[in-house]
Amino acid sequence: MNPYEVSQTSSDTIQSLLDTAQKLRGCSDGGGDVGGAVAAAERLQQRLAQLHQLHSRSWHILRHNNEHAAFVMARLESMDVLCARLVPAMDAARAILHRGKIIAPEKRPSSSMCSQHSVIIVHGPSGVGKTSLAAYIVANPPQCFADSAVEIRVGKIAGSDRRLKSKLKSLLQELNCQKELLQRAGSSQDCWALLEEVVAESSYLIVLDDAVASKLLRHCSHHPLAVAILGEALRGSWRRAEWNAVANHLEVCSGNHLNWLAGVMSTIELSTVGLKHDTHDLFTSLAAISWDEPVPVECLQALWSALGKKSPFLLHARELVRRCLLNRTPDFLFYDVHDLVVMFLERKRSSAVDALLNLAKPHTRAVAAPWLLHFGSKESKQAAAGALRGILVLDSDDLHASSLASIVDVVKACSSKEEIRRELNAIVGAEIVNLLFRASSPSAYASIAKYIAACFVEADYEEFGRGLVASGLVHKLRTLLSSSGAPGINILVKKDAADVLAKLASAGAGSSSGRDRYVCESLIRENVMGELVLLLDARSGWLHDGVLNAVVKVAGIGDAAMAQLLETDMLDEKLPELLRNRKAVVKSRALAALVALMKIGGARVVERVLGTGILEELEALLNCPCEEVQMSACLVCKEIFSRGSSSPVILEQVLRSKVVEILTGLLGDEVVVLRSRAVGALQTLVQARGSAVADRIVRAAGVESIQKGLEVLPNEDMGVYKSLLRSIVGSRKS
């Protein structure tokens, strides 16, 4: 067929498509031969796809054949005009077909199709309509599926038991599985067994779709991704020569035949040609990532930083997004890549791994390796593990700090924190002892403390605790706590140090193998208690929670540690100062710490705090408008009353205060938990002092308050109130 015949036939075909599209829109409004229109549209679309190939060949021939040039060029240009008119008409027709508004009855799946198969697998390259088919079938399920039709987007779950369990639970929820049964399913095997029970003797249509893109672009004779990429690449280009050059390039790259995959790949290649150097480097670095799941923004930012780029990351990321080479999720927290772009990037994988790991500078490897160890492709993961091990054995505090900081960032950015901790600790966990031994500056101590605080769990402290202590961990953490004005040592570093000391003390006091004297003696010998108490400044709100927790944990390792606490001004000045803080959260934390210290230290701690006027503070705190503070104050009262059972001096001070009357007034409070805690405190005091307290409760109308409370209490809370009533009655009779 010569170029003239091609243009004439194509023009006739497009005109027929325009007529058919008009018929389809007429059918959608309620009339016409639906079946005939659909069949005609399908035949014409197939013919047009064949003519596209002939059309592109005609352009190619014309460049070398002046005989037909003038006449046929005009015919092909008129065909372009018809194509432009065809686009909106066919888009509307496809939208009608896609929504299923005018699908002919003979096109709908029959019930006999689904009684012959238990599983039907639909596979094919991206963009051919698998996801659209799944959505249509779920929206229009065959009648033989009497119970329901469910669609689940399973995504990339291979190799991840966590993601498999999550998707199975999502499916079970869609099938209205009981919540109690779901909560008891702890593994993917449990979920499989539960799924078998749920679907037994039922008729469900379950569609599992592995699509990871949010939507396919509009269907056309070329792949929608190629259309989007090409459109962005040519945006702003208005000269015919530029468009012709692109068309010729794609024709050559696709081998002069209709090959949609080759066309998409060549389109992506063409789009990267016009990228700026830094943007191209960013795109190449994407090849090192597996893209099995969306990747946090922080990951790409870290790779950008590792490459040593100085220009703003977002400037180049937006360019890739604009060109459809990178996608950003609606919440702007993650990036994703179309699986055909991933296929294209596979060609560049070796270059990316070399640039970031194998042939990169040490700093680049230090920053990139932790991210690629988790998010990288198989090749990247292997190279990242080797690179990270190599960095850790180098004699460079700066490189160690860069790697450890990057590891912490990975852990913070990942939702599956336990999984990433296991991956990283398998490489870094044992080596951290050697790093700590070689560390010689506060900044190096800080990076190690940050890593341990973020990545170690209880089992790690038990496994590596003695080795860390032997390498000077406690002394170096104490140095961080006492450092003032040292470069890089800020309030967050001190918080990390306090957190590590708390967990180390907890592991030393009660590990699975019993109390670890070596760890505990090191904490006492370094007197970290004194440094921790000094950090409890009323202005350092960021530190309060972590430091108070560390004080309690260290105090719990033995009498010597408690003696060190009593030598500080913790109970005399620091705690009273925190209780007078205007922030309710600070008061509540201080009260919770006080309860723990009284449990550890017993009567000697109670007597010490009573000497500071704590009862007057408690009177004010029990009357404050914050329920959390009131509940914490009730716990402190109960602990004081409990320790006072063996100390008449303590009870005498309690009875001279107004605490009993205030607690009695809380028995009628609307907050059930607050009432319950007030009852617990009063019951402890009645059991310790008997009728003297019972009479005061009765004089304060406590019996009436308790009886009123019984009328509105749930059954499970009535026991404590009845117990208090019995204690009061028993005490008064005696």
Side-chain angles (χ1 to χ4, degrees), residues 466-678:
R466 291 178 66 87
L468 290 169
V469 170
S471 296
L473 176 63
V474 178
H475 174 74
K476 292 172 181 178
L477 292 176
R478 187 180 187 275
T479 300
L480 292 178
L481 295 177
S482 61
S483 295
S484 178
I489 308 303
N490 54 33
I491 194 170
L492 295 179
V493 171
K494 294 178 184 289
K495 184 179 184 302
D496 289 335
D499 289 343
V500 174
L501 284 172
K503 293 174 183 175
L504 188 65
S506 181
S511 65
S512 58
S513 57
R515 185 172 182 272
D516 193 324
R517 291 185 58 188
Y518 181 71
V519 172
C520 295
E521 288 173 358
S522 177
L523 290 167
I524 295 169
R525 184 173 58 254
E526 291 290 340
N527 192 15
V528 296
M529 182 67 78
E531 297 297 338
L532 288 169
V533 172
L534 288 175
L535 292 177
L536 285 174
D537 190 307
R539 296 167 295 179
S540 304
W542 275 80
L543 281 172
H544 290 153
D545 200 19
V547 173
L548 285 171
N549 182 50
V551 167
V552 170
K553 296 298 184 183
V554 174
I557 65 176
D559 289 341
M562 178 55 71
Q564 289 179 339
L565 173 67
L566 294 175
E567 291 173 0
T568 69
D569 60 356
M570 173 73 179
L571 301 177
D572 304 313
E573 295 183 16
K574 296 294 187 182
L575 270 177
E577 190 176 286
L578 294 178
L579 293 178
R580 290 190 292 269
N581 193 290
R582 54 190 176 87
K583 294 182 179 179
V585 65
V586 175
K587 296 177 181 178
S588 183
R589 288 170 180 169
L591 289 167
L594 181 56
V595 171
L597 291 174
M598 287 191 293
K599 288 181 180 293
I600 297 169
R604 55 179 172 166
V605 173
V606 174
E607 291 174 359
R608 181 78 167 264
V609 297
L610 286 177
T612 66
I614 187 69
L615 290 173
E616 289 78 5
E617 293 289 346
L618 287 173
E619 291 174 3
L621 295 173
L622 288 169
N623 281 317
C624 86
C626 178
E627 295 166 2
E628 184 178 356
V629 172
Q630 287 178 295
M631 289 188 283
S632 297
C634 287
L635 292 177
V636 172
C637 290
K638 181 178 180 180
E639 195 60 38
I640 291 175
F641 300 162
S642 176
R643 300 300 171 182
S645 61
S646 58
S647 174
V649 176
I650 293 176
L651 287 182
E652 288 301 324
Q653 292 188 58
V654 169
L655 293 177
R656 285 199 299 268
S657 71
K658 299 178 182 178
V659 170
V660 175
E661 284 73 18
I662 297 173
L663 287 170
T664 302
L666 294 177
L667 297 181
D669 196 273
E670 295 180 356
V671 181
V672 175
V673 178
L674 181 55
R675 290 204 305 265
S676 179
R677 291 195 177 177

Side-chain angles (χ1 to χ4, degrees), residues 13-14 17 43-52 86:
T13 300
I14 292 174
L17 279 169
R43 288 195 300 271
L44 287 171
Q45 286 183 73
Q46 292 172 1
R47 190 175 181 188
L48 184 63
Q50 296 170 352
L51 288 174
H52 268 300
L86 172 66

Side-chain angles (χ1 to χ4, degrees), residues 149-160:
V150 177
E151 181 184 15
I152 295 292
R153 299 289 177 90
V154 296
K156 305 286 188 180
I157 60 175
S160 174

Side-chain angles (χ1 to χ4, degrees), residues 686 690-699 703 725-734:
V686 169
S691 60
V693 177
D695 289 341
R696 289 182 64 170
I697 294 175
V698 172
R699 286 198 300 271
V703 174
L725 276 173
R726 285 195 295 269
S727 297
I728 292 174
V729 173
S731 298
R732 299 190 76 194
K733 285 183 178 179
S734 61

